Amino acid sequence: RIERAVRESPEAVQRALAITLEQVGAITDTVYEVAYKSQSLEESLKPVREAEEQQEIARLQKLLPATQDPYLQRQYQETLEAKRELLENMARIRNGLERWQAQLQRAATTLDNLYSQVLMIRSAEIRNLTEASDVVSQSLRQQIEELRLTNKAMDEVFGR
């Protein structure tokens, strides 16, 4: 949609927004990559049943003080700690996913904004076309960098 709007613009606008078009491709590719990784991570979390883990933690907390056998007590304690760690990790992962989703929404909004800016540049009498396109280009560069950092963080989560 953005590319079409630029292609349908006067030649001077097309030249001024050439770099912006390259950035649109980069941001779109990165958005798709981040979205795919986010979706994949969400899918991998489905097998963990947090409510059941919380119930098991409650059960172990009740069993622990009533158990006299030191070996059994140690096993219960270690299992309890492992389950707590699992739930803490799940909370961190979900928080990261929420952040990534928010960043994807921001990127989509940025692209919508870009579209409206292209239309504005195309339809309005803008005295300094270069300055207007530079502002758009700078905004996109910032968004691309933020998405690349998100993508890198997701690679670290996935261990790639």
Side-chain angles (χ1 to χ4, degrees):
R1 172 172 88 151
I2 295 168
E3 291 172 345
R4 186 177 67 239
V6 172
R7 277 194 315 269
E8 294 171 356
S9 299
E11 192 174 322
V13 172
Q14 289 181 31
R15 280 194 308 272
L17 293 175
I19 293 172
T20 300
L21 277 181
E22 291 173 20
Q23 292 172 327
V24 167
I27 197 170
T28 303
D29 291 347
T30 307
V31 163
Y32 282 126
E33 194 172 335
V34 169
Y36 174 77
K37 289 176 184 177
S38 178
Q39 184 179 17
S40 180
L41 184 56
E42 283 182 55
E43 288 295 317
S44 67
L45 295 177
K46 285 183 179 179
V48 178
R49 303 192 193 298
E50 292 178 66
E52 290 175 16
E53 295 295 338
Q54 289 172 338
Q55 289 174 347
E56 184 63 12
I57 286 172
R59 186 184 76 78
L60 288 169
Q61 286 174 325
K62 289 179 185 175
L63 280 174
L64 198 56
T67 303
Q68 300 301 316
D69 181 356
Y71 176 80
L72 194 52
Q73 239 178 5
R74 191 171 55 254
Q75 294 303 310
Y76 285 159
Q77 185 62 44
E78 288 175 8
T79 302
L80 185 61
E81 289 170 10
K83 288 187 177 291
R84 284 180 178 151
E85 184 178 355
L86 170 67
L87 291 180
E88 287 172 13
N89 289 339
M90 293 298 292
R92 282 191 211 106
I93 291 168
R94 291 202 191 288
N95 181 266
L97 280 170
E98 288 174 19
R99 286 177 164 195
W100 296 332
Q101 291 299 326
Q103 192 157 18
L104 288 172
Q105 288 174 343
R106 180 172 173 236
T109 302
T110 297
L111 289 172
D112 286 341
N113 258 346
L114 175 61
Y115 178 67
S116 68
Q117 289 170 338
V118 168
L119 293 178
M120 186 176 71
I121 289 170
R122 196 173 97 183
S123 64
E125 292 277 335
I126 295 184
R127 290 191 177 116
N128 191 344
L129 187 58
T130 303
E131 182 181 321
S133 64
D134 286 349
V135 169
V136 170
S137 187
Q138 176 59 33
S139 173
L140 275 178
R141 273 195 298 274
Q142 179 183 0
Q143 185 67 31
I144 290 168
E145 182 58 27
E146 289 176 14
L147 282 167
R148 284 189 177 139
L149 290 173
T150 297
N151 194 26
K152 183 179 176 185
M154 291 186 88
D155 284 344
E156 290 172 10
V157 168
F158 277 102
R160 292 183 183 171

